[in-house]
Amino acid sequence: MIIRQSRAWRCSLTFVLILLLGFTTPATASIGDRLPEFRTCVATCIEENCGRGNVIVPVHLRLLFWTCPSNCDHVCQHIITDQRLARDPPMLSPVVQYHGKWPFHRILGVQEPCSVVFSLFNLLAHRRGLSQIKERIPAEYPLRKYYMLFGYIGILSWVFSMAFHTRDFDITEKLDYFAAGASVLYGLYFTSIRIFRLDQRKHPVKATLLRLWTLICILMYIAHVSYLTLWRWDYTYNMAANVAVGVVQNIMWSFFSVKRYQKLKKPWAAWPGMIVAWIVLAMSLELLDFPPAKGLLDAHSLWHLGTVGPTIWWYNFLIKDAQQEIAGERLKA
């Protein structure tokens, strides 16, 4: 059984490394941006409709900061896409990206409705998990504060994800990326604290290691944000950094899961390894990057949907793990 599990995790690790290589391919300019017909459409629309400012733009769009030129850009994306889809004989790849994004249909001015909804599902999953931790884990349990902070950071990251997918501005993009980076790095931070029990302050060495590890993580995050802000906004680096940190903590939880199961012989002890496998499969959706079905549902939104279940499951594990440890301490007493 252990041999099969070991082989399974080696296969999972290999798959994750393949994903990492896939994510770090060089980015290229969007084909749609260079189409002469698209540029002509946008220029004509602006010339004919934007002479009076944003008056022509409906109120519900202006509430989400759509201007006349940005509305022309969006409308022309769909005009050109419809023309390419209707062409006879059919084109090999009629739907192309514009400004690094697929041409999504707006709903009430929201640029990527499915990604917003699925981000909300993740936010609610964190909120539910946070509520359960408060109710079911005693305040004196040393890891409780780390789990609660995990929940708060998770909620914040999905708030910024919703903002970014609602309207893609420079500021919403940066907030989304920085919050996601904080969430991933904090995952590694509290993973190390739980697995190596750095929270046990009665041990001077562990207390020192905890302070050192906290400082290292803070400096890593500052360096990450500073590089993207002050040096270069690098999508490839950002994705590689997040995937690399995620891979490390996934490997740690996988080994922890096997050892914990061997010790306790309880099914829930193996949950972290199963959750990691789910996350890896969901992550693979990002490699597909297909045009949105019905102009709404794309691979990235499905990736967001795919993380809702593991989030709920993860909080259930944290609670089970804490209750198991608390019960063991009571028996020792």
Side-chain angles (χ1 to χ4, degrees):
M1 176 66 179
I2 300 303
I3 293 175
R4 287 198 296 270
Q5 286 179 329
S6 178
R7 288 174 178 170
W9 292 124
R10 282 200 297 270
C11 291
S12 296
L13 176 57
T14 302
F15 182 58
V16 169
L17 291 175
I18 292 172
L19 286 177
L20 179 58
L21 292 173
F23 281 131
T24 55
T25 52
T28 56
S30 299
I31 295 174
D33 303 351
R34 300 193 299 266
L35 293 175
E37 57 267 36
F38 171 70
R39 293 183 176 184
T40 301
C41 177
V42 174
T44 303
C45 177
I46 292 174
E47 183 180 352
E48 294 182 356
N49 299 295
C50 300
R52 292 178 296 161
N54 297 324
V55 178
I56 196 172
V57 181
V59 174
H60 72 280
L61 295 181
R62 277 184 273 166
L63 289 173
L64 289 179
F65 306 104
W66 286 94
T67 63
C68 186
S70 65
N71 189 55
C72 281
D73 188 290
H74 176 82
V75 171
C76 284
Q77 289 182 28
H78 289 281
I79 290 174
I80 301 304
T81 298
D82 290 343
Q83 290 176 354
R84 290 169 63 87
L85 285 169
R87 190 168 297 179
D88 189 22
M91 303 182 71
L92 196 61
S93 301
V95 183
V96 296
Q97 292 188 348
Y98 300 83
H99 315 300
K101 288 180 174 288
W102 294 109
F104 292 94
H105 288 301
R106 293 179 302 197
I107 295 180
L108 299 176
V110 175
Q111 273 185 286
E112 300 177 49
C114 286
S115 287
V116 171
V117 171
F118 298 155
S119 293
L120 176 61
F121 289 170
N122 278 280
L123 185 154
L124 295 176
H126 277 284
R127 182 181 175 185
R128 174 183 178 274
L130 191 57
S131 176
Q132 287 186 320
I133 284 176
K134 290 178 180 178
E135 292 175 5
R136 300 173 63 183
I137 298 180
E140 61 271 17
Y141 182 64
L143 288 170
R144 184 178 186 263
K145 61 183 179 182
Y146 297 106
Y147 295 166
M148 289 181 62
L149 187 54
F150 169 75
Y152 288 127
I153 293 176
I155 289 173
L156 188 65
S157 68
W158 289 109
V159 166
F160 288 135
S161 174
M162 291 173 62
F164 172 58
H165 292 301
T166 297
R167 286 292 279 120
D168 180 0
F169 294 120
D170 185 62
I171 182 63
T172 57
E173 180 181 46
K174 283 182 167 58
L175 289 173
D176 177 43
Y177 279 44
F178 294 158
S183 180
V184 172
L185 185 56
Y186 184 79
L188 179 62
Y189 173 72
F190 95 85
T191 294
S192 301
I193 293 174
R194 168 60 190 94
I195 291 177
F196 302 114
R197 293 316 306 260
L198 300 180
D199 59 297
Q200 296 175 345
R201 297 181 179 273
K202 294 180 180 179
H203 301 275
V205 174
K206 287 191 175 182
T208 301
L209 287 174
L210 177 58
R211 288 192 292 270
L212 180 61
W213 178 232
T214 301
L215 180 62
I216 288 172
C217 287
I218 291 173
L219 292 176
M220 284 174 61
Y221 185 68
I222 292 174
H224 174 71
V225 172
S226 298
Y227 173 79
L228 291 173
T229 306
L230 304 176
W231 185 256
R232 186 160 67 104
W233 184 255
D234 189 333
Y235 292 98
T236 301
Y237 156 74
N238 182 72
M239 182 62 73
N242 281 283
V243 172
V245 173
V247 166
V248 171
Q249 60 183 289
N250 285 347
I251 293 172
M252 291 171 67
W253 280 117
S254 297
F255 280 105
F256 174 82
S257 178
V258 171
K259 289 189 174 183
R260 193 75 166 154
Y261 179 78
Q262 290 174 337
K263 180 180 178 181
L264 300 176
K265 304 299 182 183
K266 294 183 178 181
W268 64 263
W271 287 357
M274 298 176 188
I275 294 169
V276 166
W278 186 335
I279 291 293
V280 169
L281 289 175
M283 190 188 298
S284 66
L285 289 168
E286 288 279 50
L287 290 178
L288 301 178
D289 198 25
F290 51 81
K294 303 296 183 182
L296 295 170
L297 192 66
D298 71 326
H300 184 73
S301 63
L302 288 175
W303 151 242
H304 285 338
L305 179 62
T307 57
V308 178
T311 300
I312 296 172
W313 197 0
W314 183 248
Y315 279 102
N316 290 337
F317 164 74
L318 293 179
I319 292 168
K320 285 274 190 184
D321 185 54
Q323 290 175 339
Q324 170 70 32
E325 187 174 19
I326 292 168
E329 290 297 324
R330 286 173 180 169
L331 286 175
K332 291 178 183 178

